[in-house]
Amino acid sequence: MTAGPRVGFVGAGQMGGPMVERLLAAGLNVHLYARRAAVAARFADLGAAVHDSLPDLARSAEIVIVCAFSDGQLWEIAAGDGGLLAAMPPATILVNHTTGQVATLENLAARARAHDVEVVDAPVSGTAGDILAGRLTVLVGGTAAAIETCSPAVRAYAGTIVPTGPVGTATKIKLINNALFAANLQLTVDAMRVAEEMGVDPALVAGAVVHCSGNSYAMGKVDAMGWQPVVEQAMPYLVKDVGAVEQAAQDLGVDLGVLGAVARGGSFAAHGEPHDTAS
């Protein structure tokens, strides 16, 4: 039996798919738009109401959650021709899980206000496994009323919800977090190189350091998976997010200093073309 507000969802991909699973498992009234027929069919079988266009979805929901990979995808989904905002009823809420440029988010929020729609700035920290386990961290920026309204849906997959202030603050904090993770991972990978050159098995180093003062989230991941799988898994996001924090810093006249230098210029190159993981 479905309950609570009507929740629209766009972006049921690598991260968004598990979110939809958790929303449905929580008994929420989920409305879905997906580009791929197989994705739409899968979630229809699980109980979601599937819509064949973004406007149709927008008219059917009180809260619309967007989990896109990039700014370009977010803007097309929300503000492009045939996008969500033009069809969302007044006083509805758009929850944005996309980590991207602060300027894009602020422009989107201004466009939404013109349609009497509120945006909740809600970048996430964690993995698909964290979502399925209900332990995802979600930073939320926006009005207290909008955050309260969307919280029952977000709690379906979040273990921790952290209010950060107005729209834009959550994205700024998330970008700082991701730059720090990138820098930590760069240092961890370089520590593995140093271990090899000293004639010590890197796996032994990682297994020891996780119990010592040099430990970090990055080191824990390397200990569990090895450094190459961690880098391969994280690279699409590091490419996008390191670029986003650099652009945000430039826009705000902020010097990233050592943080920026290490995040960008360590043992592996956090540059290149990001991968599209949205559905």
Side-chain angles (χ1 to χ4, degrees):
M1 178 179 293
T2 56
R6 298 186 306 278
V7 180
F9 201 99
V10 183
Q14 180 177 329
M15 298 288 281
M19 291 177 181
V20 178
E21 290 183 40
R22 292 283 303 192
L23 289 165
L24 290 167
L28 290 166
N29 188 344
V30 179
H31 295 252
L32 179 77
Y33 170 79
R35 295 179 305 179
R36 300 169 188 164
V39 173
R42 177 189 169 214
F43 287 110
D45 288 344
L46 292 176
V50 174
H51 298 264
D52 59 7
S53 73
L54 290 169
D56 188 46
L57 171 77
R59 287 187 287 265
S60 303
E62 300 161 83
I63 300 164
V64 180
I65 299 171
V66 178
C67 188
F69 178 71
S70 67
D71 277 351
Q73 291 174 359
L74 170 64
W75 192 262
E76 180 182 359
I77 290 166
D81 292 339
L84 295 168
L85 287 179
M88 290 179 71
T92 50
I93 297 171
L94 177 67
V95 178
N96 173 43
H97 284 324
T98 307
T99 298
Q101 293 290 344
V102 176
T104 300
L105 179 68
E106 291 175 342
N107 289 339
L108 179 64
R111 180 74 65 92
R113 283 193 294 271
H115 292 275
D116 195 19
V117 172
E118 282 203 67
V119 169
V120 172
D121 173 21
V124 305
S125 182
T127 65
D130 293 327
I131 295 168
L132 289 172
R135 58 172 181 258
L136 188 71
T137 296
V138 183
L139 310 176
V140 287
T143 67
I147 290 170
E148 183 178 359
T149 299
C150 71
S151 287
V154 175
R155 285 195 192 101
Y157 44 83
T160 303
I161 299 175
V162 184
T164 62
V167 168
T169 55
T171 289
K172 290 175 183 177
I173 292 170
K174 179 62 181 354
L175 291 175
I176 293 167
N177 171 82
N178 287 11
L180 187 58
F181 172 67
N184 283 339
L185 187 54
Q186 295 278 22
L187 291 171
T188 298
V189 170
D190 212 39
M192 299 301 99
R193 174 192 61 81
V194 171
E196 287 184 333
E197 293 182 5
M198 285 185 169
V200 181
D201 184 351
L204 291 176
V205 173
V209 171
V210 292
H211 302 289
C212 299
S213 58
N215 189 30
S216 65
Y217 179 83
M219 184 64 80
K221 286 292 186 182
V222 168
D223 179 45
M225 299 171 59
W227 73 264
Q228 288 176 313
V230 173
V231 170
E232 289 170 4
Q233 184 180 84
M235 183 61 75
Y237 300 95
L238 295 180
V239 169
K240 175 175 68 74
D241 295 344
V242 169
V245 74
E246 289 173 338
Q247 184 62 55
Q250 180 178 321
D251 292 344
L252 296 168
V254 173
D255 180 7
L256 290 176
V258 173
L259 175 62
V262 176
R264 172 65 70 181
S267 294
F268 62 90
H271 59 75
E273 292 298 323
H275 303 157
D276 179 352
T277 60
S279 270

